[in-house]
Amino acid sequence: KAGVTQTPRYLIKTRGQQVTLSCSPISGHRSVSWYQQTPGQGLQFLFEYFSETQRNKGNFPGRFSGRQFSNSRSEMNVSTLELGDSALYLCASSLNSGGHIQYFGAGTRLSVL
Amino acid sequence: KQEVTQIPAALSVPEGENLVLNCSFTDSAIYNLQWFRQDPGKGLTSLLLIQSSQREQTSGRLNASLDKSSGRSTLYIAASQPGDSATYLCAVMNRDDKIIFGKGTRLHILP
């Protein structure tokens, strides 16, 4: 069974641009969560999608948005990029929402110049 | 507001020793607690998940305990090996289903 796949692995953007990251969950998993990891703040929860609906949301500005498609694949979009958005963005999938083991992808490393 | 703390931030131990990693959380109303390992530049690998009604979970050389009343969890690694070198993260899921991570303990096993 294939694991969680995140594309692209690396991305370089400039301030003010927007970016879209993609996550393909493990087959059969319906929940996808997104996290931002930085050296200063550690891992922070962005949002969770389940059955194409945003089920939960962390404390990030509206520039961070996401969606989930009917095949459970998810995308995350960041608009008007800032230098502080440079981070490793991790996606995790689980069978269902609420308390199930999460399986993480390798992440997308975003650098904003 | 839930806060998760992991002490120490870094730890070096000789190969073969048993060791304990600590995790504390401020709000005991959790749904579960999960331990992960992260290798440099990689994603997270789930090690053990403890539901709030459980006291401990074991997998191979790993044993995780949970004491909700005191807001503590420990991850015990027996007979450490160089391959255990990684960052270990503790994460709690609150009742609102939000997951809060600690900042991790960087473990280095000395050959």
Side-chain angles (χ1 to χ4, degrees):
Chain A
K1 197 183 242 190
V4 178
T5 305
Q6 290 188 246
T7 56
R9 288 295 315 278
Y10 303 93
L11 209 47
I12 300 175
K13 292 285 187 179
T14 56
R15 276 185 302 173
Q17 286 187 309
Q18 75 157 22
V19 67
T20 299
L21 312 182
S22 178
C23 173
S24 293
I26 291 172
S27 177
H29 285 194
R30 296 165 62 196
S31 170
V32 174
S33 297
W34 288 89
Y35 298 85
Q36 181 196 66
Q37 187 175 33
T38 58
Q41 299 298 316
L43 258 163
Q44 293 182 284
F45 172 71
L46 279 156
F47 29 65
E48 179 199 3
Y49 284 87
F50 178 75
S51 293
E52 301 179 63
T53 303
Q54 187 181 87
R55 192 176 173 279
N56 222 331
K57 190 177 186 309
N59 298 323
F60 278 81
R63 299 185 298 107
F64 292 81
S65 63
R67 58 178 175 167
Q68 186 180 35
F69 302 95
S70 58
N71 62 357
S72 292
R73 190 177 73 85
S74 177
E75 287 182 347
M76 190 191 92
N77 185 275
V78 188
S79 62
T80 319
L81 284 166
E82 300 176 359
L83 295 179
D85 297 333
S86 295
L88 179 66
Y89 290 88
L90 292 165
C91 158
S93 77
S94 60
L95 200 55
N96 284 304
S97 187
H100 291 260
I101 291 179
Q102 296 197 330
Y103 297 86
F104 281 75
T108 294
R109 183 162 297 281
L110 171 65
S111 297
V112 182
L113 307 178
Chain B
K1 181 189 165 189
Q2 179 75 273
E3 290 182 7
V4 180
T5 303
Q6 291 186 248
I7 295 173
L11 182 65
S12 294
V13 300
E15 179 180 1
E17 284 198 2
N18 304 326
L19 61 101
V20 174
L21 306 180
N22 297 295
C23 171
S24 61
F25 46 95
T26 55
D27 184 352
S28 62
I30 64 171
Y31 192 68
N32 63 41
L33 183 145
Q34 199 163 351
W35 282 94
F36 296 88
R37 75 173 271 169
Q38 185 175 30
D39 294 285
K42 303 283 181 64
L44 277 64
T45 300
S46 177
L47 298 172
L48 290 163
L49 173 75
I50 311 177
Q51 301 293 349
S52 63
S53 58
Q54 297 175 322
R55 297 281 296 186
E56 65 177 344
Q57 283 284 343
T58 298
S59 176
R61 295 182 295 108
L62 306 179
N63 175 278
S65 69
L66 175 64
D67 184 342
K68 266 198 334 175
S69 60
S70 67
R72 294 179 190 276
S73 175
T74 61
L75 178 67
Y76 174 84
I77 302 177
S80 58
Q81 305 170 355
D84 295 331
S85 297
T87 296
Y88 290 80
L89 293 146
C90 162
V92 301
M93 177 176 277
N94 292 334
R95 291 287 172 180
D96 61 3
D97 286 351
K98 290 187 179 177
I99 296 180
I100 310 297
F101 280 84
K103 294 200 173 176
T105 294
R106 284 192 317 280
L107 176 64
H108 184 209
I109 305 299
L110 306 166

